[in-house]
Coordinates of all heavy atoms in Angstrom, one line a residue:
M1 N -1.8 -30.2 -42.3 CA -2.0 -31.0 -43.5 C -0.7 -31.7 -43.9 O 0.3 -31.2 -43.7 CB -2.5 -30.2 -44.7 CG -3.9 -29.8 -44.6 SD -4.4 -29.1 -46.2 CE -4.6 -27.4 -45.7
L2 N -0.9 -32.9 -44.4 CA 0.3 -33.7 -44.8 C 0.3 -33.8 -46.3 O -0.5 -34.4 -47.0 CB 0.2 -35.1 -44.2 CG 1.3 -36.1 -44.6 CD1 2.6 -35.6 -44.1 CD2 1.0 -37.4 -43.9
F3 N 1.3 -33.1 -46.9 CA 1.5 -33.1 -48.4 C 2.3 -34.3 -48.7 O 3.3 -34.5 -48.1 CB 2.1 -31.8 -48.9 CG 1.2 -30.6 -48.7 CD1 1.3 -29.8 -47.6 CD2 0.3 -30.3 -49.7 CE1 0.5 -28.7 -47.4 CE2 -0.5 -29.2 -49.5 CZ -0.4 -28.4 -48.4
R4 N 1.9 -35.0 -49.8 CA 2.7 -36.2 -50.2 C 2.9 -36.2 -51.7 O 2.2 -35.6 -52.5 CB 1.8 -37.4 -49.9 CG 1.8 -37.7 -48.4 CD 1.3 -39.2 -48.2 NE 1.5 -39.5 -46.8 CZ 0.8 -40.4 -46.2 NH1 -0.1 -41.1 -46.9 NH2 1.0 -40.7 -44.9
S5 N 4.0 -36.8 -52.0 CA 4.4 -37.0 -53.4 C 4.4 -38.5 -53.6 O 5.2 -39.2 -52.9 CB 5.7 -36.4 -53.7 OG 6.0 -36.6 -55.1
D6 N 3.5 -39.0 -54.4 CA 3.4 -40.5 -54.7 C 3.8 -40.7 -56.2 O 4.0 -39.7 -56.9 CB 2.0 -41.0 -54.5 CG 1.7 -41.0 -53.0 OD1 2.6 -41.0 -52.2 OD2 0.5 -41.0 -52.7
Y7 N 3.8 -41.9 -56.6 CA 4.0 -42.2 -58.0 C 2.9 -43.2 -58.5 O 2.4 -44.0 -57.7 CB 5.3 -42.9 -58.2 CG 6.5 -41.9 -58.0 CD1 7.0 -41.8 -56.7 CD2 6.9 -41.1 -59.0 CE1 8.0 -40.9 -56.4 CE2 7.9 -40.1 -58.7 CZ 8.4 -40.1 -57.4 OH 9.4 -39.1 -57.2
G8 N 2.5 -43.0 -59.7 CA 1.5 -43.9 -60.4 C 2.0 -44.4 -61.7 O 2.7 -43.7 -62.4
F9 N 1.7 -45.6 -62.0 CA 2.2 -46.3 -63.2 C 0.9 -46.8 -64.0 O 0.0 -47.4 -63.4 CB 3.0 -47.5 -62.8 CG 3.5 -48.3 -64.0 CD1 4.6 -47.9 -64.7 CD2 2.9 -49.5 -64.3 CE1 5.1 -48.6 -65.8 CE2 3.4 -50.3 -65.4 CZ 4.5 -49.8 -66.1
F10 N 1.0 -46.6 -65.3 CA -0.1 -47.1 -66.2 C 0.6 -47.7 -67.4 O 1.5 -47.2 -68.0 CB -1.0 -46.0 -66.6 CG -2.0 -46.4 -67.7 CD1 -3.0 -47.3 -67.4 CD2 -1.9 -46.0 -69.0 CE1 -3.9 -47.7 -68.3 CE2 -2.8 -46.4 -69.9 CZ -3.8 -47.2 -69.6
S11 N 0.2 -48.9 -67.7 CA 0.7 -49.6 -68.9 C -0.4 -50.4 -69.5 O -1.4 -50.9 -68.9 CB 1.8 -50.6 -68.5 OG 2.3 -51.2 -69.6
T12 N -0.4 -50.5 -70.8 CA -1.3 -51.4 -71.6 C -0.6 -52.0 -72.8 O 0.2 -51.4 -73.4 CB -2.6 -50.5 -72.1 OG1 -3.5 -51.4 -72.7 CG2 -2.2 -49.4 -73.0
F13 N -1.0 -53.3 -73.0 CA -0.4 -54.1 -74.1 C -1.3 -55.3 -74.4 O -2.2 -55.6 -73.5 CB 1.0 -54.5 -73.7 CG 1.1 -55.1 -72.4 CD1 1.0 -56.5 -72.2 CD2 1.4 -54.4 -71.2 CE1 1.1 -57.1 -70.9 CE2 1.5 -54.9 -70.0 CZ 1.4 -56.3 -69.8
P14 N -1.1 -55.9 -75.5 CA -2.0 -57.1 -75.9 C -1.7 -58.3 -75.0 O -0.5 -58.5 -74.7 CB -1.7 -57.3 -77.3 CG -0.3 -56.8 -77.6 CD -0.2 -55.6 -76.6
G15 N -2.7 -59.0 -74.6 CA -2.6 -60.2 -73.9 C -2.2 -61.4 -74.8 O -2.1 -61.2 -76.0
P16 N -2.1 -62.6 -74.2 CA -1.7 -63.8 -75.0 C -2.8 -64.2 -75.9 O -2.6 -64.9 -76.9 CB -1.4 -64.8 -73.9 CG -2.2 -64.4 -72.7 CD -2.2 -62.9 -72.8
G17 N -4.1 -63.8 -75.7 CA -5.2 -64.1 -76.6 C -5.5 -62.8 -77.3 O -4.7 -62.0 -77.7
K18 N -6.8 -62.6 -77.5 CA -7.2 -61.3 -78.1 C -7.7 -60.4 -77.1 O -8.4 -59.4 -77.3 CB -8.4 -61.6 -79.1 CG -7.9 -62.5 -80.3 CD -8.9 -62.6 -81.3 CE -8.4 -63.5 -82.4 NZ -8.5 -63.1 -83.7
N19 N -7.2 -60.5 -75.8 CA -7.6 -59.6 -74.8 C -6.5 -58.5 -74.6 O -5.6 -58.5 -75.4 CB -7.7 -60.4 -73.4 CG -6.4 -61.1 -73.1 OD1 -5.5 -61.4 -74.0 ND2 -6.2 -61.4 -71.8
R20 N -6.8 -57.6 -73.7 CA -5.9 -56.5 -73.5 C -5.5 -56.5 -72.0 O -6.3 -56.6 -71.1 CB -6.6 -55.2 -73.8 CG -5.7 -54.0 -73.8 CD -5.8 -53.4 -75.2 NE -4.8 -52.4 -75.6 CZ -3.6 -52.7 -76.2 NH1 -3.2 -53.9 -76.3 NH2 -2.9 -51.7 -76.6
V21 N -4.2 -56.3 -71.7 CA -3.7 -56.2 -70.4 C -3.5 -54.7 -70.0 O -3.0 -54.0 -70.8 CB -2.4 -56.9 -70.2 CG1 -1.8 -56.8 -68.8 CG2 -2.5 -58.4 -70.5
V22 N -4.1 -54.4 -68.9 CA -4.0 -53.0 -68.4 C -3.4 -53.1 -66.9 O -4.0 -53.8 -66.1 CB -5.3 -52.3 -68.4 CG1 -5.2 -50.9 -67.7 CG2 -5.8 -52.1 -69.8
I23 N -2.4 -52.3 -66.7 CA -1.8 -52.3 -65.3 C -1.9 -50.9 -64.8 O -1.5 -49.9 -65.4 CB -0.3 -52.7 -65.3 CG1 -0.2 -54.2 -65.9 CG2 0.3 -52.6 -64.0 CD1 1.3 -54.6 -66.1
I24 N -2.5 -50.8 -63.6 CA -2.6 -49.5 -62.9 C -2.0 -49.8 -61.5 O -2.6 -50.6 -60.8 CB -4.1 -49.0 -62.8 CG1 -4.7 -48.8 -64.2 CG2 -4.2 -47.8 -62.0 CD1 -6.1 -48.5 -64.2
A25 N -1.0 -49.1 -61.2 CA -0.3 -49.3 -59.9 C 0.2 -48.0 -59.4 O 0.3 -47.0 -60.1 CB 0.9 -50.2 -60.1
G26 N 0.5 -48.0 -58.1 CA 1.0 -46.8 -57.4 C 1.8 -47.1 -56.2 O 1.7 -48.2 -55.7
T27 N 2.5 -46.2 -55.7 CA 3.3 -46.4 -54.5 C 2.4 -46.4 -53.2 O 2.7 -47.0 -52.2 CB 4.4 -45.4 -54.3 OG1 3.9 -44.1 -54.4 CG2 5.5 -45.6 -55.4
R28 N 1.3 -45.6 -53.3 CA 0.4 -45.6 -52.2 C -1.0 -45.4 -52.8 O -1.2 -45.2 -54.0 CB 0.7 -44.4 -51.2 CG 1.9 -44.7 -50.4 CD 2.0 -43.7 -49.3 NE 2.5 -42.4 -49.8 CZ 3.7 -41.9 -49.6 NH1 4.6 -42.7 -48.9 NH2 4.1 -40.8 -50.0
D29 N -2.0 -45.4 -52.0 CA -3.4 -45.2 -52.4 C -3.6 -44.0 -53.3 O -4.3 -44.0 -54.3 CB -4.4 -45.2 -51.3 CG -4.5 -46.5 -50.5 OD1 -4.1 -47.5 -51.1 OD2 -5.1 -46.5 -49.4
T30 N -3.0 -42.9 -52.9 CA -3.1 -41.6 -53.7 C -2.6 -41.8 -55.1 O -3.3 -41.3 -56.0 CB -2.4 -40.5 -53.0 OG1 -2.8 -40.4 -51.6 CG2 -2.6 -39.2 -53.7
G31 N -1.5 -42.5 -55.3 CA -1.0 -42.7 -56.6 C -1.9 -43.5 -57.5 O -2.2 -43.2 -58.6
V32 N -2.4 -44.6 -56.9 CA -3.3 -45.5 -57.6 C -4.6 -44.8 -58.0 O -5.0 -44.9 -59.1 CB -3.6 -46.8 -56.8 CG1 -4.6 -47.7 -57.5 CG2 -2.3 -47.6 -56.5
T33 N -5.2 -44.2 -57.0 CA -6.5 -43.5 -57.3 C -6.4 -42.4 -58.3 O -7.3 -42.3 -59.2 CB -7.2 -43.1 -56.1 OG1 -6.4 -42.2 -55.4 CG2 -7.6 -44.2 -55.1
Q34 N -5.4 -41.6 -58.2 CA -5.2 -40.5 -59.2 C -5.0 -41.0 -60.6 O -5.5 -40.5 -61.6 CB -4.0 -39.6 -58.7 CG -3.9 -38.4 -59.6 CD -4.9 -37.3 -59.3 OE1 -5.6 -37.3 -58.3 NE2 -5.0 -36.4 -60.2
I35 N -4.1 -42.1 -60.7 CA -3.9 -42.6 -62.1 C -5.1 -43.3 -62.6 O -5.4 -43.2 -63.8 CB -2.6 -43.5 -62.0 CG1 -1.4 -42.7 -61.7 CG2 -2.4 -44.3 -63.3 CD1 -1.2 -41.4 -62.5
A36 N -5.8 -44.1 -61.8 CA -7.0 -44.8 -62.2 C -8.0 -43.8 -62.7 O -8.7 -44.0 -63.8 CB -7.6 -45.6 -61.1
E37 N -8.2 -42.7 -62.0 CA -9.1 -41.6 -62.5 C -8.6 -41.0 -63.8 O -9.4 -40.8 -64.7 CB -9.2 -40.5 -61.4 CG -10.2 -39.4 -61.8 CD -10.3 -38.4 -60.7 OE1 -10.2 -38.7 -59.5 OE2 -10.5 -37.2 -61.1
A38 N -7.3 -40.7 -63.9 CA -6.8 -40.1 -65.1 C -7.0 -41.0 -66.4 O -7.4 -40.5 -67.4 CB -5.3 -39.7 -64.9
V39 N -6.6 -42.3 -66.3 CA -6.6 -43.1 -67.4 C -8.0 -43.7 -67.8 O -8.1 -44.4 -68.8 CB -5.6 -44.3 -67.3 CG1 -4.2 -43.7 -67.2 CG2 -5.9 -45.2 -66.2
T40 N -9.0 -43.3 -67.1 CA -10.4 -43.6 -67.5 C -10.9 -42.5 -68.3 O -12.1 -42.5 -68.7 CB -11.3 -43.9 -66.3 OG1 -11.3 -42.8 -65.4 CG2 -10.8 -45.2 -65.6
T41 N -10.1 -41.5 -68.6 CA -10.5 -40.3 -69.4 C -9.9 -40.6 -70.8 O -8.7 -40.6 -71.0 CB -9.9 -39.0 -68.8 OG1 -10.4 -38.9 -67.5 CG2 -10.3 -37.8 -69.7
P42 N -10.7 -40.9 -71.8 CA -10.2 -41.2 -73.1 C -9.2 -40.2 -73.7 O -8.3 -40.6 -74.4 CB -11.5 -41.3 -74.0 CG -12.6 -41.6 -73.0 CD -12.2 -40.9 -71.8
S43 N -9.4 -39.0 -73.5 CA -8.5 -38.0 -74.0 C -7.1 -38.1 -73.4 O -6.1 -37.9 -74.1 CB -9.0 -36.5 -73.8 OG -9.1 -36.3 -72.4
I44 N -7.0 -38.5 -72.2 CA -5.7 -38.7 -71.5 C -5.0 -39.9 -72.1 O -3.8 -39.9 -72.4 CB -5.8 -38.8 -70.0 CG1 -6.2 -37.4 -69.5 CG2 -4.5 -39.3 -69.4 CD1 -6.5 -37.4 -68.0
V45 N -5.7 -41.0 -72.3 CA -5.1 -42.2 -72.9 C -4.7 -41.9 -74.3 O -3.6 -42.3 -74.8 CB -6.1 -43.4 -72.8 CG1 -5.5 -44.6 -73.6 CG2 -6.4 -43.7 -71.4
A46 N -5.5 -41.2 -75.1 CA -5.1 -40.8 -76.5 C -3.9 -39.9 -76.5 O -3.0 -40.1 -77.3 CB -6.3 -40.1 -77.1
D47 N -3.7 -39.0 -75.5 CA -2.6 -38.2 -75.4 C -1.3 -39.0 -75.1 O -0.2 -38.8 -75.6 CB -2.8 -37.1 -74.3 CG -1.6 -36.1 -74.3 OD1 -1.2 -35.6 -75.4 OD2 -1.1 -35.9 -73.2
L48 N -1.5 -40.0 -74.2 CA -0.4 -40.9 -73.8 C 0.1 -41.7 -75.1 O 1.3 -41.8 -75.3 CB -0.7 -41.9 -72.7 CG -0.8 -41.3 -71.3 CD1 -1.4 -42.3 -70.4 CD2 0.5 -40.9 -70.8
S49 N -0.9 -42.2 -75.8 CA -0.5 -42.9 -77.1 C 0.2 -42.0 -78.1 O 1.2 -42.4 -78.7 CB -1.8 -43.5 -77.7 OG -1.5 -44.2 -78.9
R50 N -0.2 -40.8 -78.2 CA 0.5 -39.8 -79.1 C 1.9 -39.6 -78.6 O 2.8 -39.6 -79.4 CB -0.3 -38.5 -79.1 CG -1.4 -38.4 -80.1 CD -1.9 -37.0 -80.4 NE -2.4 -36.4 -79.2 CZ -3.7 -36.6 -78.7 NH1 -4.5 -37.5 -79.3 NH2 -4.1 -36.0 -77.6
Q51 N 2.1 -39.5 -77.3 CA 3.4 -39.2 -76.8 C 4.3 -40.5 -76.9 O 5.5 -40.4 -76.9 CB 3.3 -38.8 -75.3 CG 2.8 -37.4 -75.2 CD 2.9 -36.9 -73.8 OE1 3.9 -37.0 -73.2 NE2 1.8 -36.3 -73.3
A52 N 3.7 -41.6 -77.1 CA 4.4 -42.9 -77.3 C 4.5 -43.2 -78.8 O 4.5 -44.3 -79.2 CB 3.7 -44.0 -76.5
D53 N 4.5 -42.1 -79.6 CA 4.6 -42.2 -81.0 C 3.4 -43.0 -81.7 O 3.7 -43.8 -82.6 CB 5.9 -42.8 -81.5 CG 7.1 -41.9 -81.1 OD1 6.9 -40.7 -81.1 OD2 8.2 -42.4 -80.7
G54 N 2.2 -42.9 -81.1 CA 1.1 -43.5 -81.7 C 0.9 -45.0 -81.3 O 0.1 -45.7 -81.9
A55 N 1.8 -45.5 -80.4 CA 1.7 -46.9 -80.1 C 0.4 -47.2 -79.3 O -0.1 -46.4 -78.5 CB 2.9 -47.2 -79.2
T56 N -0.1 -48.4 -79.5 CA -1.2 -48.9 -78.7 C -0.8 -49.6 -77.4 O -1.6 -50.0 -76.6 CB -2.2 -49.7 -79.5 OG1 -1.4 -50.8 -80.0 CG2 -2.8 -48.9 -80.6
S57 N 0.5 -49.9 -77.4 CA 1.1 -50.6 -76.2 C 2.2 -49.7 -75.7 O 3.2 -49.3 -76.4 CB 1.8 -51.9 -76.6 OG 0.8 -52.8 -77.2
F58 N 2.1 -49.3 -74.4 CA 3.0 -48.3 -73.8 C 3.0 -48.4 -72.3 O 2.1 -49.0 -71.7 CB 2.7 -46.9 -74.3 CG 1.3 -46.4 -74.0 CD1 1.0 -45.9 -72.8 CD2 0.3 -46.6 -75.0 CE1 -0.3 -45.5 -72.6 CE2 -1.0 -46.2 -74.7 CZ -1.3 -45.6 -73.5
E59 N 3.9 -47.7 -71.7 CA 4.0 -47.6 -70.2 C 4.2 -46.2 -69.9 O 4.9 -45.4 -70.7 CB 5.0 -48.5 -69.6 CG 6.4 -48.3 -70.1 CD 7.4 -49.3 -69.7 OE1 7.1 -50.2 -68.9 OE2 8.6 -49.2 -70.1
S60 N 3.7 -45.7 -68.7 CA 3.9 -44.4 -68.3 C 4.0 -44.3 -66.8 O 3.5 -45.1 -66.1 CB 2.7 -43.5 -68.8 OG 1.5 -44.0 -68.2
L61 N 4.7 -43.2 -66.4 CA 5.0 -43.0 -65.0 C 4.6 -41.6 -64.6 O 5.0 -40.7 -65.3 CB 6.4 -43.3 -64.6 CG 6.8 -43.1 -63.1 CD1 6.1 -44.1 -62.2 CD2 8.3 -43.1 -63.0
Y62 N 3.8 -41.4 -63.6 CA 3.4 -40.1 -63.1 C 3.9 -39.8 -61.7 O 4.0 -40.7 -60.9 CB 1.9 -40.0 -63.0 CG 1.2 -39.9 -64.4 CD1 0.9 -41.0 -65.1 CD2 0.8 -38.7 -64.9 CE1 0.2 -41.0 -66.3 CE2 0.1 -38.6 -66.1 CZ -0.2 -39.7 -66.8 OH -0.8 -39.6 -68.0
E63 N 4.2 -38.6 -61.4 CA 4.4 -38.1 -60.0 C 3.0 -37.5 -59.6 O 2.5 -36.6 -60.3 CB 5.5 -37.1 -59.9 CG 5.8 -36.7 -58.5 CD 7.1 -35.9 -58.4 OE1 7.5 -35.2 -59.4 OE2 7.6 -35.9 -57.3
V64 N 2.5 -38.0 -58.5 CA 1.2 -37.6 -58.0 C 1.4 -36.8 -56.8 O 2.0 -37.2 -55.8 CB 0.3 -38.8 -57.8 CG1 -1.0 -38.4 -57.2 CG2 0.1 -39.6 -59.1
Y65 N 0.8 -35.6 -56.7 CA 0.8 -34.7 -55.5 C -0.5 -34.8 -54.8 O -1.6 -34.8 -55.5 CB 1.1 -33.3 -55.9 CG 2.3 -33.1 -56.7 CD1 2.3 -33.0 -58.1 CD2 3.6 -33.2 -56.1 CE1 3.4 -32.9 -58.9 CE2 4.7 -33.0 -56.9 CZ 4.6 -32.9 -58.3 OH 5.8 -32.8 -59.0
G66 N -0.5 -34.9 -53.5 CA -1.8 -35.0 -52.8 C -1.6 -34.4 -51.4 O -0.6 -34.2 -50.9
V67 N -2.8 -34.3 -50.8 CA -2.9 -33.9 -49.4 C -3.6 -35.0 -48.7 O -4.7 -35.4 -49.0 CB -3.8 -32.6 -49.2 CG1 -3.9 -32.2 -47.8 CG2 -3.2 -31.4 -50.1
A68 N -2.9 -35.5 -47.6 CA -3.3 -36.7 -46.9 C -3.5 -37.8 -47.9 O -2.5 -38.2 -48.5 CB -4.6 -36.4 -46.1
S69 N -4.7 -38.4 -48.1 CA -4.8 -39.5 -49.1 C -5.6 -39.0 -50.3 O -6.1 -39.9 -51.1 CB -5.5 -40.6 -48.4 OG -6.8 -40.3 -48.0
T70 N -5.7 -37.7 -50.6 CA -6.4 -37.2 -51.7 C -5.5 -36.7 -52.8 O -4.7 -35.8 -52.5 CB -7.4 -36.1 -51.3 OG1 -8.3 -36.6 -50.3 CG2 -8.2 -35.6 -52.5
G71 N -5.5 -37.2 -54.0 CA -4.7 -36.7 -55.1 C -5.2 -35.3 -55.6 O -6.4 -35.1 -55.7
T72 N -4.3 -34.4 -55.8 CA -4.7 -33.1 -56.3 C -4.1 -32.8 -57.7 O -4.7 -32.0 -58.4 CB -4.2 -32.0 -55.4 OG1 -2.7 -32.1 -55.3 CG2 -4.8 -32.1 -54.0
N73 N -3.0 -33.5 -58.1 CA -2.4 -33.2 -59.4 C -1.5 -34.3 -59.8 O -0.9 -35.0 -58.9 CB -1.6 -31.9 -59.3 CG -1.2 -31.4 -60.7 OD1 -1.8 -31.8 -61.7 ND2 -0.3 -30.5 -60.7
A74 N -1.3 -34.6 -61.0 CA -0.4 -35.6 -61.5 C 0.4 -35.0 -62.6 O -0.1 -34.4 -63.5 CB -1.2 -36.8 -62.0
K75 N 1.7 -35.3 -62.6 CA 2.6 -34.8 -63.6 C 3.3 -36.0 -64.3 O 3.8 -36.9 -63.7 CB 3.7 -34.0 -62.9 CG 4.8 -33.5 -63.8 CD 5.9 -32.8 -63.0 CE 7.1 -32.5 -63.9 NZ 8.2 -32.0 -63.1
L76 N 3.1 -36.0 -65.6 CA 3.7 -37.1 -66.4 C 5.2 -37.0 -66.4 O 5.7 -36.0 -66.8 CB 3.1 -37.1 -67.8 CG 3.6 -38.2 -68.8 CD1 3.2 -39.5 -68.3 CD2 3.1 -37.9 -70.2
L77 N 5.9 -38.1 -66.0 CA 7.3 -38.1 -66.0 C 7.9 -38.8 -67.2 O 9.0 -38.5 -67.6 CB 7.9 -38.7 -64.7 CG 7.5 -38.1 -63.4 CD1 8.0 -38.9 -62.2 CD2 8.0 -36.6 -63.3
F78 N 7.2 -39.8 -67.6 CA 7.8 -40.7 -68.6 C 6.7 -41.5 -69.4 O 5.7 -41.9 -68.8 CB 8.7 -41.8 -67.9 CG 9.2 -42.9 -68.7 CD1 10.3 -42.7 -69.5 CD2 8.6 -44.1 -68.8 CE1 10.8 -43.7 -70.3 CE2 9.1 -45.1 -69.6 CZ 10.2 -44.9 -70.3
V79 N 6.8 -41.6 -70.7 CA 5.9 -42.5 -71.5 C 6.8 -43.1 -72.6 O 7.6 -42.4 -73.2 CB 4.7 -41.7 -72.0 CG1 5.1 -40.6 -72.9 CG2 3.7 -42.7 -72.7
S80 N 6.6 -44.3 -72.8 CA 7.4 -45.0 -73.8 C 6.6 -46.2 -74.4 O 5.8 -46.9 -73.7 CB 8.6 -45.6 -73.2 OG 9.4 -46.3 -74.2
S81 N 6.7 -46.4 -75.7 CA 6.1 -47.5 -76.4 C 6.7 -48.8 -75.9 O 7.9 -48.8 -75.4 CB 6.2 -47.4 -77.9 OG 7.5 -47.4 -78.3
I82 N 6.0 -49.9 -76.0 CA 6.5 -51.2 -75.6 C 6.6 -52.1 -76.9 O 5.6 -52.2 -77.7 CB 5.5 -51.9 -74.6 CG1 5.4 -51.1 -73.3 CG2 6.0 -53.3 -74.4 CD1 4.4 -51.7 -72.3
D83 N 7.7 -52.7 -77.1 CA 7.9 -53.6 -78.2 C 7.2 -54.9 -77.8 O 7.7 -55.6 -77.0 CB 9.3 -53.8 -78.6 CG 9.5 -54.7 -79.7 OD1 8.6 -55.2 -80.4 OD2 10.7 -55.0 -80.0
T84 N 6.1 -55.3 -78.4 CA 5.4 -56.5 -78.0 C 5.6 -57.7 -79.0 O 4.9 -58.7 -78.8 CB 3.9 -56.2 -78.0 OG1 3.4 -55.8 -79.3 CG2 3.5 -55.1 -77.0
A85 N 6.6 -57.6 -79.8 CA 6.8 -58.7 -80.8 C 7.0 -60.0 -80.1 O 6.5 -61.0 -80.7 CB 8.1 -58.3 -81.7
H86 N 7.7 -60.1 -79.0 CA 7.9 -61.4 -78.4 C 7.5 -61.4 -76.9 O 8.0 -62.2 -76.1 CB 9.4 -61.7 -78.4 CG 9.9 -61.8 -79.8 ND1 9.7 -62.8 -80.7 CD2 10.7 -60.9 -80.6 CE1 10.2 -62.6 -81.8 NE2 10.8 -61.4 -81.8
I87 N 6.6 -60.5 -76.6 CA 6.2 -60.4 -75.2 C 5.6 -61.7 -74.6 O 5.8 -62.0 -73.4 CB 5.2 -59.2 -75.0 CG1 5.1 -58.8 -73.5 CG2 3.8 -59.6 -75.5 CD1 4.4 -57.5 -73.3
W88 N 4.9 -62.5 -75.3 CA 4.4 -63.8 -74.8 C 5.1 -65.0 -75.4 O 4.7 -66.1 -75.2 CB 2.9 -63.9 -75.1 CG 2.1 -62.7 -74.5 CD1 1.6 -61.7 -75.1 CD2 1.9 -62.6 -73.1 NE1 1.0 -60.8 -74.2 CE2 1.1 -61.3 -73.0 CE3 2.2 -63.3 -72.0 CZ2 0.7 -60.9 -71.8 CZ3 1.7 -62.8 -70.8 CH2 1.0 -61.6 -70.7
D89 N 6.3 -64.8 -76.0 CA 7.1 -65.9 -76.6 C 7.9 -66.5 -75.5 O 8.8 -66.0 -75.0 CB 8.0 -65.3 -77.7 CG 8.8 -66.4 -78.4 OD1 8.6 -67.6 -78.0 OD2 9.6 -66.0 -79.3
M90 N 7.5 -67.7 -75.1 CA 8.1 -68.4 -74.0 C 9.4 -69.2 -74.4 O 10.0 -69.8 -73.6 CB 7.2 -69.4 -73.3 CG 5.9 -68.7 -72.7 SD 6.4 -67.5 -71.6 CE 5.2 -67.6 -70.4
T91 N 9.7 -69.2 -75.7 CA 10.9 -69.9 -76.2 C 12.1 -69.0 -76.1 O 13.2 -69.6 -76.4 CB 10.7 -70.4 -77.6 OG1 10.5 -69.3 -78.5 CG2 9.5 -71.3 -77.7
R92 N 12.0 -67.8 -75.8 CA 13.2 -66.9 -75.8 C 13.8 -67.0 -74.4 O 13.4 -67.2 -73.4 CB 12.8 -65.5 -76.1 CG 12.3 -65.3 -77.5 CD 12.1 -63.9 -77.8 NE 13.4 -63.4 -78.2 CZ 13.7 -62.1 -78.3 NH1 12.8 -61.3 -78.1 NH2 14.9 -61.7 -78.6

């Protein structure tokens, strides 16, 4: 068996209109699939928001453990709120 350690990234913030931008990324398939599965669970997203001091815009990084291409566990390494005051301001 091939044990792997991957990384998964999840971020959400308001778009330039009234839409919402969501980024789900990973270093390999295992990272992406494990994070995509995790952040489709409302309680996990609520927990991330709490850890980002109640922010609705935040970014997070996970270390994902897997066997071959199957994720088995994800460990939250980092979560931080995003200051969106000027995120779409093109004059800066």
